[in-house]
Amino acid sequence: MNRFPRHLIFYSIGGLMAVVISYFVLFPHVWRCQWIEFSDFKKITSTFYISPDTPPKNLQKAQLAMADAHKRINRLWGAPQQKATFILCENTEQYRHYCNSTEGAGCSLGTPWGQSFIVLNVEGLNTDVIAHEMCHAELFTRLGWWKTTRQIPQWFNEGLALMVDYRFVPQTDSIQRHLSYKEECLYLSRGGQITLDLKDISSMRGFFNGNDSHVMLAYMTGATEVSRWLAAVGEANVQVLVQQVAAGKPFEEVYKDLEQTSRIRP
Ligand SMILES: [Zn+2]
């Protein structure tokens, strides 16, 4: 009988511990989300936790907004596949604890082993913020951590989330939506003086590293491009794109091909 060499066992255990410890050090907020069940947050369902300070009216507001957001996701993605755990915070301190940021009204987090979390601050108790974060979770669930982080440009991920988030452009037809985002972009770029290239906002760093006006212009640039693409290919092709990327095709290739075939179609 072959025995596994003892030194290899030590190295393996040591390596595993190093990975676990570095993960905890680098992403403590993700660990906190994973252990939410053992915190003082109240369990409403197996995928919904609220702060002990949440008043009943905020819980009701969140539940109504979640149901509405679910309908928007359904329209863009078909039946939702994500089963993100929602964590509803009542103040900035709690939000920072679970989201590692004080920015924004909501954030979504995903782990390499497929779990996802949507953390909401009290300002995030509305359909727009929740649908936006659910859209990120939906993409993440369908592609997994590796493909989402390695293959999907940040401008696409954020631009797509803005298609179900009507804070900047209200719900309208696809052509008008594109024109409205284009107008927003033109305004923010002071008539086209400061523009952003899509390749410069492909990475998280390129998208979010900068002042508020850079980040806002990055959002509007992403939304302008995604709304342009959707006006050309139709929303049903979001699922086709994601299925093909999930099957191993490169994002850029599928994105271009779908637009090309839509043009050829009579
Ligand atoms: Zn987002």
Side-chain angles (χ1 to χ4, degrees), residues 106 108 132-133 136 154 157-158 161-162 167 208 219:
S108 51
H132 181 119
E133 300 307 333
H136 287 317
Q154 199 58 27
N157 202 343
E158 293 300 344
L162 283 173
R167 278 175 288 179
F208 290 108
Y219 273 113

Side-chain angles (χ1 to χ4, degrees), residues 156 229 237-246 251 254-255 258:
F156 180 79
W229 186 78
N237 271 316
V238 170
Q239 287 187 63
V240 178
L241 170 88
V242 171
Q243 274 160 10
Q244 295 196 14
V245 175
F251 170 86
V254 186
Y255 190 81
L258 283 171

Side-chain angles (χ1 to χ4, degrees), residues 30-165:
V30 180
W31 280 96
R32 290 179 200 129
C33 289
Q34 287 187 288
W35 294 97
I36 188 78
E37 206 178 333
F38 303 101
S39 73
D40 59 348
F41 272 50
K42 199 172 145 196
K43 184 177 184 177
I44 302 297
T45 68
S46 59
T47 56
F48 185 27
Y49 290 82
I50 62 167
S51 157
D53 311 318
T54 302
K57 69 170 177 22
N58 282 0
L59 170 61
Q60 202 188 7
K61 205 171 155 190
Q63 282 169 321
L64 289 172
M66 281 157 82
D68 269 351
H70 200 272
K71 286 181 202 153
R72 288 191 197 174
I73 295 297
N74 207 73
R75 281 200 294 272
L76 180 63
W77 285 96
Q81 291 183 12
Q82 56 90 17
K83 289 187 176 64
T85 298
F86 282 80
I87 299 174
L88 174 53
C89 303
E90 193 55 31
N91 57 52
T92 312
E93 257 327 291
Q94 291 170 351
Y95 183 67
R96 196 200 338 247
H97 193 68
Y98 290 105
C99 189
N100 203 28
S101 165
T102 51
E103 297 292 317
C107 77
S108 51
L109 308 163
T111 68
W113 43 91
Q115 273 180 298
S116 54
F117 302 93
I118 292 176
V119 184
L120 297 170
N121 203 350
V122 73
E123 303 94 66
L125 304 187
N126 61 71
T127 309
D128 289 321
V129 172
I130 296 175
H132 181 119
E133 300 307 333
M134 279 174 89
C135 188
H136 287 317
E138 198 59 42
L139 185 69
F140 173 81
T141 302
R142 292 175 191 234
L143 287 181
W145 184 83
W146 181 255
K147 283 205 169 84
T148 308
T149 49
R150 305 295 298 177
Q151 283 258 347
I152 301 298
Q154 199 58 27
W155 59 258
F156 180 79
N157 202 343
E158 293 300 344
L160 191 64
L162 283 173
M163 301 300 110
V164 290
D165 172 355

Side-chain angles (χ1 to χ4, degrees), residues 4-29:
F4 199 61
R6 192 171 283 182
H7 69 278
L8 280 184
I9 296 176
F10 282 129
Y11 284 138
S12 310
I13 294 173
L16 191 67
M17 277 174 72
V19 169
V20 171
I21 290 167
S22 49
Y23 194 77
F24 182 75
V25 171
L26 291 172
F27 308 106
H29 52 292

